[in-house]
């Protein structure tokens, strides 16, 4: 194991600690609703942000200090990064991770060479997993960085690009399977369009579905038991992505007969870009039985970019945890920090500070959400608000057994309905009561 980070394993010191390298709220073994925090939260680290993000922005070069990385595309450098990443995971107490194929392993001149190098890196990943007990939350293929994917991968107008992408996805699923991955994510990085003027929209959507059907068939062929996810995002880099939000993804999966094979991996900043709250996206997915995993981050509301900030907003993490607890928790999914340190936070130590801030925010969100549930007032209010529907008539309408004729006759002889206050402010006050404790 490497020794690049001059820190001990991060420990829980409690809410009064002033140590920047300690958890204030995340106490992995503390039990909430009968389950240790670590099992509720299932934190994962993103290889791309931890190991491959130079912290550049459109106006300036990368600032990240990475003494372990010689900047080359060599296998040695890639293997060293694996070791450093596992050192980080061990010290930050995160035992799940996610990667894109090209984060961990460089592309070579031919597919054969690229796959052969990938196998070498995968062997090292497997060794480190076995030594540390860390496991792979999900893998994915990077189908958006290389210039060949400039016009999409599965939705490229060029058949040859689709074929290349299929080969790349096939290998990425195979490696994810070999590493015992608990899932595999499809994020349609450039699966969308920049202008409809040059785009055959339905043909592109059909091609995307064809790619996903082949992936399902391959999964079954090799016996990969992990969960497939689609990760919605409305735009950036394209003007419009086909997997634009949770509802659009569910419609796409239904339209093409894929719903039973996929769940959603929801990302906070993608929800924001779609004009939704994360809680909205989670609720839509949860009610459809399709909430799988979470890419945890937050955006800056007054900036239209996917800024991938570390999630530190307690109101947000509380809402996320309320939805998760209501679902009964993750099965295959987890909270993957698809988040990057600010460009100003360029020291290796900032990797720790940023993850600690995110982990503490979610641990606190979990405590608050659990307390709100135990209080019960919000749940009781919502149940009471819909109580009129629990009547025989309400039940019959819900079951599709009523008719306009019947309701017309009933309306004629009924008094005007009485409305009750929605009490939004009271309910928000209850959340604040627990947030401030
Ligand atoms: C990009 C994004 C990706 C996916 C994986 O916005 O979120 O990193 O999570 O491809
Ligand atoms: Co993401």
């Amino acid at each position: 194991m490497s020794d690049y980070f001059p820190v001990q394993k991060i420990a829980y010191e409690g809410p009064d600690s002033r140590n920047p390298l300690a958890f204030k709220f995340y106490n992995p073994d503390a039990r909430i609703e009968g389950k240790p925090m670590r099992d509720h939260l299932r934190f994962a680290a993103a290889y791309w942000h931890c190991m491959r993000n130079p912290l550049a922005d459109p106006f300036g070069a990368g600032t990240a200090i990475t003494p372990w990385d010689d900047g080359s595309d060599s296998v040695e450098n890639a293997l060293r990064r694996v070791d450093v990443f596992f050192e980080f995971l061990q010290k930050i107490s995160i035992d799940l991770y996610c990667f894109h194929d090209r984060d961990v392993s460089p592309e070579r001149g031919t597919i054969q060479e690229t796959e052969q190098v990938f196998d070498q890196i995968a062997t090292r990943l497997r060794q480190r997993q076995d030594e540390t007990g860390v496991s792979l939350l999900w893998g994915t293929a990077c189908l958006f960085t290389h210039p060949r994917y400039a016009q999409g991968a599965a939705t490229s107008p060029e058949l040859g690009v689709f074929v290349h992408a299929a080969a790349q996805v096939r290998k990425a699923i195979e490696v994810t399977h070999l590493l015992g991955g608990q899932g595999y994510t499809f994020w349609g990085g450039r699966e969308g369009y920049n202008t409809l003027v040059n785009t055959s929209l339905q043909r592109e959507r059909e091609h995307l579905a064809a790619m996903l059907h082949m992936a399902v068939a391959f999964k079954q062929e090799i016996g990969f038991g992990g969960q497939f996810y689609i990760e919605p995002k409305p735009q950036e880099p394209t003007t419009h992505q086909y997997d634009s939000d949770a509802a659009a993804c569910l419609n796409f999966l239904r339209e093409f007969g894929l719903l039973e094979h996929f769940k959603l991996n929801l990302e906070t900043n993608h929800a924001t870009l779609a004009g939704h709250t994360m809680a909205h996206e989670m609720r839509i997915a949860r009610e459809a039985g399709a909430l799988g995993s979470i890419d945890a981050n937050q955006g800056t509301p007054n900036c239209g970019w996917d800024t991938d900030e570390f999630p530190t907003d307690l109101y947000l993490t509380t809402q996320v945890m309320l939805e998760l607890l209501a679902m009964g928790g993750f099965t295959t999914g987890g909270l993957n920090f698809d988040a990057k340190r600010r460009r100003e936070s360029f020291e290796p130590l900032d990797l720790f500070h940023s993850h600690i801030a995110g982990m503490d925010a979610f641990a606190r969100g979990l405590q608050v959400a659990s307390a709100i549930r135990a209080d019960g007032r919000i749940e009781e209010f919502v149940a009471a608000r819909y109580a009129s529907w629990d009547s025989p008539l309400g039940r019959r309408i819900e079951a599709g057994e009523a008719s306009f004729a019947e309701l017309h006759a009933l309306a004629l002889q009924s008094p005007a309905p009485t409305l009750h206050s929605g009490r939004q402010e009271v309910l928000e006050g209850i959340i604040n009561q627990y947030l401030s404790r």
Side-chain angles (χ1 to χ4, degrees), residues 48-49 100 138 185 187 231-232 265-267 270 295-297 306 308 336 338:
W48 55 100
H49 284 309
H100 300 82
W138 50 260
T185 291
W187 170 58
E231 181 177 325
N265 176 40
L266 297 172
E267 177 162 331
H270 297 180
D295 269 11
N297 60 23
D306 187 13
D308 281 351
N336 170 45
D338 193 352

Side-chain angles (χ1 to χ4, degrees), residues 303-346:
C303 168
W305 287 357
D306 187 13
T307 51
D308 281 351
E309 292 161 44
F310 272 84
T312 53
D313 177 349
L314 293 183
Y315 209 90
L316 166 73
T317 58
T318 298
Q319 284 182 317
V320 169
M321 293 317 298
L322 278 169
E323 290 297 327
L324 262 184
L325 289 173
M327 184 177 83
F330 287 122
T331 46
T332 53
L335 285 167
N336 170 45
F337 287 111
D338 193 352
K340 60 179 182 241
R341 308 166 271 158
R342 297 304 82 196
R343 188 165 178 266
E344 297 88 332
S345 309
F346 45 75

